[in-house]
């Protein structure tokens, strides 16, 4: 039996269950489990990261094909610096290599790539590759790929608070003018709609300092699959699950007013 055909048939069946009108515009992903995947196979952790890159390429294609507009992935957190130097160096080289190899195709696909996070501590060669990739793709309109590197949600919020405090002390804004909209306008993700869906792989049920502000009302989907084993099929399952959610944003489904009764009243 042709394996590719079996996979395609399985995905086609899932695709039929997806409401094309309700596809999440922005999906955020915590790509977790590369190290465990490799260790389980008796391989060095770097093999997991290498395989993880192929999965990211597959999910980028799948999300674009489905009609999503933005994909934001957590590639390196502010906490990842505590890993052994060899692994940190490997990841930095991998980002540089992947970006250099893939940027042509990314651009041909009219994908804009943006890096979110503090790039200061990265080596000059990676920073240059990042700046040239961002500049090459800056006018691409089909799709936006945000790659979070040396990113931390708390650090981002503190940075915004500092900016607003500075603007307030210089008289540019009044403290009373600080609101969600103004706060949003200082975030690293300014101008980008909040993610409707957050996917985390490897079964961990944590946000891990990722997009703390932006994920306030996102639906969270935890996949038990380790990132290197994640694929289009698992992605479609996440979208189907998302579409089954009842998104109320803290409200309730519309009910006639008289259906509410104060339970403390006897009558
Ligand atoms: C988490 O697995 C994964 C990472 C910290 C790195 C993710 C990076 C990639 C998939 C490469 C992306 C490349 C580009 C250019 C964006 P882990 O190491 O925390 O796994 P573990 O929890 O099993 O140890």
């Amino acid at each position: 039996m042709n394996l590719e055909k079996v996979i395609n048939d399985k995905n086609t069946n899932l695709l039929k269950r997806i409401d094309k009108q309700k596809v999440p515009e922005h999906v955020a992903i915590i790509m977790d489990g590369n190290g465990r995947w490799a260790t389980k196979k008796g391989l060095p952790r770097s093999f997991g990261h290498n395989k993880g890159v192929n999965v990211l390429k597959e999910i980028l294609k799948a999300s674009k094909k489905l009609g999503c507009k933005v994909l934001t992935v957590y590639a390196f957190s502010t906490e990842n610096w505590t890993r052994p130097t060899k692994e940190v160096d490997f990841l930095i080289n991998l980002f540089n290599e992947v970006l250099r190899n893939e940027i042509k195709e990314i651009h041909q696909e009219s994908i804009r790539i943006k890096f979110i996070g503090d790039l200061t501590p990265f080596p000059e060669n990676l920073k240059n590759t990042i700046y040239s990739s961002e500049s090459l793709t800056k006018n691409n309109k089909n799709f936006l790929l945000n790659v979070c590197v040396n990113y931390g949600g708390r650090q981002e919020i503190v940075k915004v608070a500092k900016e607003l405090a500075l603007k307030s002390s210089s008289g540019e804004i009044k403290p009373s003018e600080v609101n969600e909209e103004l706060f949003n306008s200082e975030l690293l993700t300014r101008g980008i709609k909040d993610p409707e869906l957050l996917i985390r792989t490897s079964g961990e049920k944590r946000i891990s300092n990722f997009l703390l502000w932006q994920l306030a009302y996102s639906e969270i989907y935890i996949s038990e699959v380790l990132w290197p084993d994640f694929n289009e099929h698992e992605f479609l399952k996440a979208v189907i699950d998302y579409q089954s959610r009842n998104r109320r944003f803290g409200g309730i489904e519309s009910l006639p007013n008289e259906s509410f009764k104060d339970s403390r009243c006897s009558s």
Side-chain angles (χ1 to χ4, degrees), residues 30-39 45 48-54 56 73-77 80 83 87 91 94-96 98-99 113 115 145 147 149 200 202 204 226-227:
I30 303 179
M31 312 178 286
D32 196 14
N34 290 355
R36 272 165 287 163
W37 179 88
T39 307
R45 290 172 59 85
H49 297 314
N50 279 331
K51 177 73 170 42
V53 172
N54 295 336
L56 177 55
V73 294
Y74 208 3
F76 194 90
S77 74
N80 285 153
R83 293 187 178 203
E87 183 166 347
L91 283 169
L94 183 69
F95 296 153
N96 200 9
V98 171
L99 204 52
I113 190 163
F115 284 78
L145 171 65
V147 183
V149 284
R200 180 169 189 155
S202 91
E204 302 290 353
L226 302 173
W227 179 251

Side-chain angles (χ1 to χ4, degrees), residues 143-185:
F143 195 91
L144 172 64
L145 171 65
N146 292 314
V147 183
C148 296
V149 284
N150 193 27
Y151 172 85
R154 284 189 176 179
Q155 289 83 343
E156 181 184 27
I157 289 171
V158 168
K159 189 170 173 291
V160 174
K162 255 189 204 154
E163 292 291 336
L164 294 178
L166 278 171
K167 284 189 175 174
S168 166
S169 65
S170 71
E172 202 179 317
I173 57 164
K174 294 194 199 107
S176 60
E177 283 170 354
V178 176
N179 57 20
E180 284 189 26
E181 202 187 336
L182 194 61
F183 207 93
N184 253 320
S185 72

Side-chain angles (χ1 to χ4, degrees), residues 223-236:
S223 167
E224 293 301 322
V225 174
L226 302 173
W227 179 251
D229 283 331
F230 200 75
N231 52 27
E232 180 174 9
H233 189 75
E234 296 300 326
F235 179 75
L236 295 177

Side-chain angles (χ1 to χ4, degrees), residues 70-176:
V70 185
L71 186 67
T72 301
V73 294
Y74 208 3
F76 194 90
S77 74
T78 42
E79 290 72 35
N80 285 153
W81 294 105
T82 59
R83 293 187 178 203
T85 315
K86 270 191 166 176
E87 183 166 347
V88 170
D89 288 348
F90 176 84
L91 283 169
I92 289 174
N93 285 330
L94 183 69
F95 296 153
N96 200 9
E97 195 184 301
V98 171
L99 204 52
R100 288 168 70 111
N101 290 342
E102 303 297 329
I103 196 61
K104 202 167 157 209
E105 196 180 331
I106 289 176
H107 187 43
Q108 275 164 358
E109 290 287 321
S110 191
I111 295 170
R112 179 177 181 193
I113 190 163
K114 230 172 141 291
F115 284 78
I116 294 184
D118 178 9
L119 301 183
T120 325
F122 290 118
E124 288 308 311
N125 62 348
L126 176 59
K127 281 195 270 198
N128 289 336
T129 311
I130 288 178
Y131 298 144
S132 60
S133 311
E134 288 185 328
S135 153
L136 177 72
T137 62
K138 69 175 190 290
N139 295 319
N140 292 348
K141 300 272 184 283
N142 260 359
F143 195 91
L144 172 64
L145 171 65
N146 292 314
V147 183
C148 296
V149 284
N150 193 27
Y151 172 85
R154 284 189 176 179
Q155 289 83 343
E156 181 184 27
I157 289 171
V158 168
K159 189 170 173 291
V160 174
K162 255 189 204 154
E163 292 291 336
L164 294 178
L166 278 171
K167 284 189 175 174
S168 166
S169 65
S170 71
E172 202 179 317
I173 57 164
K174 294 194 199 107
S176 60

